[in-house]
Amino acid sequence: MTFTGVYVPLITPFGADGSVALDALESLARQVLADGAAGLVALGTTGEPSSLSAQEQRAVLDVVARVCRERDATLVIGANSVEAVRAVRDQPAAGAVLSLVPPFVRPGEAGVVAYFEALAAASPVPVLVYHVPYRTGQVVPAATLRRLAAIPKVAGVKLAAGGIDAATVELMADPPAGFAVLGGDDAFVSPLLALGAHGGILASAHVATDRFAELVRSWRAGNAVAARAVGHRLTGLALALFAEPNPTVIKGVLHAQGRIPTAAVRLPLLPAGAGSVEAALEQL
């Protein structure tokens, strides 16, 4: 399976009583797919999974899986342990798991490779590596990403290095065959696509989904003039949506648009300020 296009890591909307607003989640999932997303990520970090109970996580996954089945869209599930990856066997709609490079412990490059070998061996579906070193504290150089790409079932990487660094340029100069590179830093996805990335897992694509899909199509088709024009506009939007901790501004915008019942988040997050939400709406 080749992972291309835009994948939306869905937020988890909450109702006025604090419960998960499953109807709003379903509507949101259907809308972004209708607007051009290739697939959805359930229980990714944008969905605040650590703040959800096990029952809430199952409910969220059931809703998103049903929508993906009905729309023949790719379902990616956030799973960050061997046990979580094994549990995906119970979800036949799953197309891949998205697994974070182990955070905080900084296991070293060899430890990262061994960890993903264990995940891949346990997984019934392809594994996408989530590399975000400014959050995990673990640097993964291009050479190590190539080692990860050589592991059977490791199908790609969500690359969120905080910019276009030397490792990114080195990887994209000679990308591993059959290994999808998906942008994960929304403000830098256009230049990453220009280097040859296959798409993106983009929280900003909750809004302006069609334009993010157009951005990927234009770069993939080699239409640099159109891609640059779209990319310049979307960079400003992405910067505004990430002006406060993700997904607080995105939730504020979605609530202002009437797409979710509240802008509520759960601790340790706090709702975005009104000024940040207004600035993002202006970018739209």
Side-chain angles (χ1 to χ4, degrees):
M1 179 179 183
T2 302
F3 294 91
T4 59
V6 172
Y7 299 82
V8 179
L10 289 171
I11 58 113
T12 301
F14 300 118
D17 63 354
S19 64
V20 176
L22 294 174
D23 288 347
L25 176 65
E26 180 173 349
S27 295
L28 191 63
R30 292 185 184 282
Q31 186 64 61
V32 297
L33 290 176
D35 287 346
L40 304 173
V41 180
L43 304 179
T45 51
T46 299
E48 303 172 73
S50 63
S51 74
L52 304 179
S53 69
Q55 182 178 2
E56 288 172 328
Q57 289 184 9
R58 286 192 296 271
V60 165
L61 184 53
D62 286 346
V63 167
V64 181
R66 183 175 70 252
V67 173
C68 284
R69 284 196 304 270
E70 292 173 358
R71 296 299 305 269
D72 195 27
T74 300
L75 170 64
V76 181
I77 301 173
N80 294 305
S81 68
V82 168
E83 293 75 14
V85 164
R86 285 184 179 140
V88 173
R89 297 179 188 277
D90 298 328
Q91 184 47 260
V97 294
L98 178 64
S99 301
L100 191 65
V101 169
F104 187 76
V105 294
R106 301 175 68 183
E109 295 169 39
V112 170
V113 173
Y115 175 74
F116 277 98
E117 286 175 338
L119 289 182
S123 180
V125 295
V127 176
L128 300 173
V129 176
Y130 185 5
H131 178 38
V132 53
Y134 54 87
R135 292 185 184 271
T136 65
Q138 176 66 64
V139 174
V140 180
T144 304
L145 286 171
R146 295 184 193 282
R147 290 177 63 190
L148 293 173
I151 300 171
K153 280 191 180 174
V154 173
V157 60
K158 177 183 177 180
L159 191 58
I164 306 297
D165 61 2
T168 299
V169 173
E170 181 182 347
L171 179 70
M172 298 311 298
D174 184 21
F179 186 69
V181 177
L182 302 171
D185 281 316
D186 297 27
F188 297 103
V189 70
S190 187
L192 188 61
L193 289 164
L195 290 173
H198 299 77
I201 298 177
L202 305 171
S204 298
H206 280 87
V207 299
T209 313
D210 55 345
R211 281 184 271 168
F212 279 100
E214 178 188 355
L215 177 69
V216 174
R217 286 195 305 270
S218 295
W219 278 121
R220 297 285 290 165
N223 190 347
V225 173
R228 286 194 198 99
V230 176
H232 290 162
R233 294 194 297 272
L234 292 179
T235 296
L237 173 62
L239 289 170
L241 290 171
F242 278 79
E244 296 192 38
N246 185 48
T248 62
V249 180
I250 291 171
K251 280 190 162 185
V253 169
L254 293 173
H255 176 54
Q257 293 176 326
R259 297 170 67 187
I260 58 175
T262 74
V265 290
R266 288 181 177 173
L267 291 172
L269 295 174
L270 295 173
S276 295
V277 175
E278 290 169 5
L281 288 167
E282 288 175 4
Q283 288 290 330
L284 283 170

